[in-house]
Amino acid sequence: MISLIFGTYYILKNKYRHTSLVAYSSEPITSNAKKIKNINVLSLDGGGMRGYMQLLILQEIEKRCKKNLTETFDYFIGTSIGGLNSVFISEFVNVDVAIEFMEKDAAKMFTKSGAFNFLSENMYSNVGLKKILEEKLGSKKLKDSNKKLLIMTSNDLAKPKDPKLLLTSWGSGCDLNLSDAVLSTTACPMIFPPYRVNIDGTEHTLKDGTLIANDPSYFGYKEILKHLKDTFSNNSENDFKIKLLSIGTGLFSKGKKDISVANIIDLILKLKINEAKTLIALAFMDNSCLLSTFRSISDGELVREDMEKKSKGSIYWRLDPDLDEMIMMDDYSKKNMLKMKNLVQKFIIANDKLLDDICINLLQVSI
């Protein structure tokens, strides 16, 4: 209990040093270079059931663009639930299918590990999620996905000094089934079990991508630049105008800037056993893990700075609804779903002009 309290206190105090951003856009950088190719990229954070808010925001963007997301975006990047959402959008074309899954089938994802659930190594089994994924995705390979996909995972055994493993539809892990890629990126320690896969004859034990980056946009952006240069060997980085839209799963910061040990003790005492276990999982994760029940931290500044240096004329947007209270990652109750719907509606109204600007930019074609 003492380790839980101080571990959680340490994480929260460090995370609240960051500035809370509800939504922002980098200014387009002018360039005198020749006409460039527009590349649209969608990056989705992890955050459990809060990933439902991503889908509702994307539904609004789809409505304003008057196009399916698969027609608007060239690359999809995802961590954890963001990885699942990316795969579903890529394969089922319309975001409504992914929303329906979250509203009707989310409960099936969280299969209890056993009768003595709290004492088991992991809070949930991945049996339910695996069954759903195999039913919906079959044996389709990552390399056969409808769109270019990048799925963030953590490789904790094969490369302990470099645990990042980015599965892509054209390179590393491309021969994996889509369902295996999703089970790997969603294997959050103490929540779901690690997931074993074979990549190019080597066994890997993979865990949730949030252990590397809850916001996968930075690593994904760098991998996409590399892929573009390999694909278009006669082009330089400045020949591509990358427009990257990064969507989080909520910032829990309003009125919570002063985090004390007393606050944490009070919070833990109010939690149910399973919720407390989720908090324990967070407390004992390495501090490099960006996943938090309380807030998602963006790597947006890193992406924006790198874009300025390597891809002139590119644009970066970050959308992340502000949460007025904590939303647990495994709360799929109707009450919680309605709460998230209301939060997103407020967010859309508050960021109406920005959303219009994003859609106008995304719909520009290469010349």
Side-chain angles (χ1 to χ4, degrees), residues 95-359:
V95 70
D96 291 343
V97 176
I99 289 174
E100 183 180 23
F101 164 75
M102 292 289 276
E103 291 177 342
K104 295 183 178 180
D105 293 330
K108 298 176 185 176
M109 287 195 292
F110 301 103
T111 306
K112 300 294 185 183
S113 294
F116 300 99
N117 190 50
F118 183 70
L119 299 177
S120 63
E121 184 178 351
N122 301 292
M123 193 166 147
Y124 297 107
S125 161
N126 62 11
V127 172
L129 178 56
K130 186 173 184 178
K131 183 179 179 181
I132 295 170
L133 293 173
E134 289 176 348
E135 286 175 355
K136 292 185 177 295
L137 302 170
S139 58
K140 190 170 185 178
K141 304 286 186 184
L142 186 55
K143 65 183 178 183
D144 298 322
S145 58
N146 294 336
K147 302 298 292 187
K148 297 180 182 70
L149 290 169
L150 301 89
I151 307 297
M152 178 66 74
T153 67
S154 169
N155 185 357
D156 68 331
L157 289 182
K159 293 184 178 180
K161 292 183 180 179
D162 182 20
K164 174 175 65 67
L165 181 56
L166 196 58
L167 306 175
T168 68
S169 54
W170 62 85
S172 178
C174 66
D175 286 320
L176 291 176
N177 287 349
L178 284 168
S179 58
D180 291 327
V182 173
L183 287 164
S184 299
T185 192
T186 55
C188 181
M190 293 184 72
I191 306 299
F192 288 110
Y195 195 71
R196 294 187 67 84
V197 297
N198 186 298
I199 300 176
D200 299 326
T202 302
E203 291 291 325
H204 296 262
T205 300
L206 301 181
K207 293 183 179 180
D208 199 306
T210 52
L211 290 169
I212 304 299
N214 194 47
D215 170 1
S217 56
Y218 179 67
F219 291 112
Y221 163 72
K222 292 178 75 69
E223 190 68 26
I224 288 169
L225 266 187
K226 180 182 175 184
H227 182 244
L228 288 171
K229 286 192 291 182
D230 290 343
T231 304
F232 303 97
S233 56
N234 295 327
N235 293 78
S236 70
E237 290 174 337
N238 286 337
D239 293 332
F240 304 105
K241 182 176 182 179
I242 297 178
K243 300 177 212 178
L244 194 155
L245 173 59
S246 173
I247 305 181
T249 56
L251 293 168
F252 183 65
S253 57
K254 188 182 296 184
K256 299 291 180 180
K257 294 183 179 178
D258 296 322
I259 303 297
S260 66
V261 173
N263 295 148
I264 300 303
I265 294 173
D266 183 60
L267 173 64
I268 291 171
L269 292 176
K270 290 178 180 177
L271 292 175
K272 298 175 184 177
I273 287 179
N274 284 347
E275 292 172 343
K277 189 164 183 180
T278 300
L279 203 58
I280 292 171
L282 297 173
F284 284 96
M285 282 183 190
D286 185 87
N287 197 45
S288 64
C289 173
L290 297 179
L291 174 63
S292 172
T293 301
F294 302 90
R295 59 173 289 149
S296 298
I297 306 297
S298 171
D299 277 339
E301 282 302 304
L302 289 174
V303 180
R304 186 186 62 78
E305 289 171 8
D306 218 41
M307 280 183 166
E308 289 181 357
K309 294 175 184 176
K310 297 182 178 179
S311 186
K312 304 297 182 184
S314 293
I315 309 173
Y316 171 81
W317 302 282
R318 174 71 176 174
L319 302 178
D320 214 358
D322 205 6
L323 306 179
D324 52 13
E325 61 180 284
M326 182 171 64
I327 295 178
M328 300 305 295
M329 294 181 294
D330 59 349
D331 186 352
Y332 49 83
S333 65
K334 289 183 178 179
K335 179 181 177 181
N336 190 50
M337 303 298 269
L338 180 60
K339 181 193 303 178
M340 289 190 283
K341 271 188 177 180
N342 292 334
L343 286 171
V344 170
Q345 282 304 310
K346 291 179 183 177
F347 179 82
I348 289 170
I349 292 170
N351 294 280
D352 180 68
K353 186 179 183 303
L354 176 58
L355 290 171
D356 274 344
D357 289 344
I358 289 172
C359 291

Side-chain angles (χ1 to χ4, degrees), residues 10-52:
Y10 176 73
I11 290 174
L12 292 177
K13 286 294 277 187
N14 276 280
K15 291 185 187 306
Y16 282 109
R17 290 174 184 167
H18 294 258
T19 302
S20 172
L21 294 172
V22 175
Y24 67 88
S25 168
S26 66
E27 290 295 323
I29 306 146
T30 58
S31 172
N32 294 321
K34 62 183 180 180
K35 296 297 183 180
I36 53 183
K37 296 177 177 65
N38 287 303
I39 305 295
N40 293 344
V41 179
L42 177 63
S43 178
L44 302 177
D45 287 18
M49 285 303 300
R50 299 200 309 269
Y52 179 58

Side-chain angles (χ1 to χ4, degrees), residues 31-87:
S31 172
N32 294 321
K34 62 183 180 180
K35 296 297 183 180
I36 53 183
K37 296 177 177 65
N38 287 303
I39 305 295
N40 293 344
V41 179
L42 177 63
S43 178
L44 302 177
D45 287 18
M49 285 303 300
R50 299 200 309 269
Y52 179 58
M53 293 188 290
Q54 289 175 339
L55 297 175
L56 296 176
I57 292 171
L58 287 170
Q59 186 180 50
E60 180 67 20
I61 288 172
E62 195 171 72
K63 176 183 172 183
R64 295 186 186 211
C65 286
K66 298 179 180 178
K67 277 187 173 185
N68 290 329
L69 297 173
T70 50
E71 297 176 88
T72 303
F73 292 97
D74 303 293
Y75 290 86
F76 290 79
I77 312 168
T79 289
S80 200
I81 192 66
L84 186 152
N85 285 342
S86 293
V87 169

